[in-house]
């Protein structure tokens, strides 16, 4: 039986074979950033493959355009190849690596973390207040902190937040060193490269198909995937803004949660939660309809597990809001807090980390794009070579 490492190696080698064939063909030139990045390379290192995989947005345009997909002997399938390599990225660059294998590589390990965290929080309330405590209605200022002391809650989530950010930071540093390993000193990243990469990421430019949308879940171009992805991304940011604002109210203005329905904290959180739920359900639906020939089986499993987990967090948050004045509040809060804690804990290893590697790849791409453009402008600005007469014919000067 092949080990995971040798399977990963096979994938990298097969990736190089496919990219060399694509570089000779170049039919997909202009489809996305990947095809431009390929043009700037003659051959491909292992780290180039990692970079290209994370630059690919899985729009699938190239697959449906390609005459060399299976059953052709070339067996070209860039979206499937890149999905497999991206999956490897989340494990390879994560810290600590051993945990990444246990929690990121296995869907069972991922879900076990959620089950453990939720049972742990419910057990905490049960141990302190018994069965009655779990179903006793709590209302008014500070109701959320009756069974979960405020300082304990802050301490736990600050620690988990630091864990998540440190994991992403270490992964980002390792990934960046690898994909930049072939660059020289003069290939520095400028502020305008970062600005451009941020625009590419914020607009999901490479899921746009130049206005027609992408060929996902089927060969027919559609805008649904980009729309749902936007709902998830911006919904998440609104929820983050709501949590930050709630901290400000609680710790600087000394007004504890829960807040009234028309309070800015609740409005931001509700709009973000609804956007998340619609976006995540839409992405899950599209994934269920997606072409199996193009999917990487493992990437689909781990990606779907993350999407369901984020949906669990969003739904429990909204249900908590709806039933916060009933006897179900404490139990709902326990499930919500447990699922958020597990989401934070698994964040450095799960699909959650994909935005870190995708963004860094876009920064690298924006820098390569600028350098290529500057070289082109410099080439055009060069004075034309003057022909000079030599004995027996004409030759150019220089
Ligand atoms: S994906 Fe197919 S059509 Fe596109 S460049 Fe590669 S070989 Fe050519
Ligand atoms: S699937 Fe889309 S984003 Fe990925 S390489 Fe092909 S054209 Fe580019």
């Amino acid at each position: 039986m092949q080990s995971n490492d040798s399977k990963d190696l096979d994938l990298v080698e097969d990736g190089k074979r496919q990219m060399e064939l694509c570089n000779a063909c170049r039919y997909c030139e202009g489809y996305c950033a990947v095809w431009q990045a390929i043009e700037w390379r003659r051959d491909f290192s292992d780290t180039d493959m990692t970079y290209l995989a994370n630059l690919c947005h899985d729009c699938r345009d190239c697959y449906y355009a390609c005459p060399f997909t299976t059953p052709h002997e070339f067996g070209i399938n860039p979206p499937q190849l890149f999905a497999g390599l991206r999956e490897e990225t989340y494990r390879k660059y994560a810290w600590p690596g051993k945990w990444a294998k246990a929690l990121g590589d296995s869907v069972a390990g991922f879900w076990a973390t959620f089950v453990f965290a939720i049972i742990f929080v419910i057990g905490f309330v049960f141990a302190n207040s018994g069965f009655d405590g779990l179903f006793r209605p709590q209302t008014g200022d500070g109701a959320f902190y009756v069974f979960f002391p405020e300082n304990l809650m802050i301490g736990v989530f600050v620690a988990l937040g630091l864990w998540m950010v440190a994991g992403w930071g270490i992964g980002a540093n390792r990934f960046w060193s690898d994909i930049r390993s072939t660059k020289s000193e003069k290939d520095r990243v400028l502020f305008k490269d970062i600005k451009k990469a941020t625009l590419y990421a914020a607009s999901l430019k490479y899921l746009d198909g130049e206005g027609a949308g992408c060929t996902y879940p089927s060969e027919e171009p559609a805008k649904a995937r980009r729309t749902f992805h936007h709902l998830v991304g911006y919904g998440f940011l609104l929820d983050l803004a709501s949590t930050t604002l709630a901290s400000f109210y609680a710790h600087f203005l000394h007004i504890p949660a829960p807040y009234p329905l028309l309070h800015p904290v609740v409005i931001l959180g509700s709009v973000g939660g609804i956007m998340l739920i619609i976006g995540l359900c839409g992405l899950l639906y599209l994934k269920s309809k997606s072409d199996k020939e193009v999917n990487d089986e493992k990437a689909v499993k781990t990606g779907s597990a993350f999407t369901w987990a984020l949906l669990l967090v969003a739904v429990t948050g909204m249900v908590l809001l709806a039933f916060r004045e009933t006897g179900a509040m404490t139990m709902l809060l326990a499930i919500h807090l447990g699922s958020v804690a597990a989401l934070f804990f698994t964040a450095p290893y799960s699909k959650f980390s994909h935005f870190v590697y995708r963004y860094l790849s876009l920064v690298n791409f924006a820098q390569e794009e600028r350098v290529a453009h500057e070289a082109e402008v410099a080439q055009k600005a060069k004075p034309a070579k003057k022909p000079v007469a030599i004995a027996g014919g004409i030759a150019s000067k220089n």
Side-chain angles (χ1 to χ4, degrees), residues 11 14 18 56-60 62-64 69-70 75-87 215-219 225 283-304 351:
L11 203 57
D14 187 48
Q18 291 196 39
C56 167
H57 287 52
D58 196 19
C59 78
R60 305 190 167 187
C62 58
Y63 175 82
Y64 290 113
T69 56
T70 308
I76 300 286
N77 193 339
Q80 186 186 59
L81 162 81
F82 290 143
L85 287 170
R86 277 195 302 277
E87 180 59 35
T215 45
Y216 187 106
S218 69
E219 202 168 342
R225 181 137 175 265
L283 289 178
L284 283 168
Y285 173 75
L286 293 182
K287 194 163 272 184
S288 74
K289 297 277 163 205
S290 66
D291 187 344
K292 309 278 178 291
E293 291 295 317
V294 200
N295 287 343
D296 175 88
E297 210 179 306
K298 187 171 170 201
V300 168
K301 277 188 195 156
T302 53
S304 299
K351 172 89 187 276

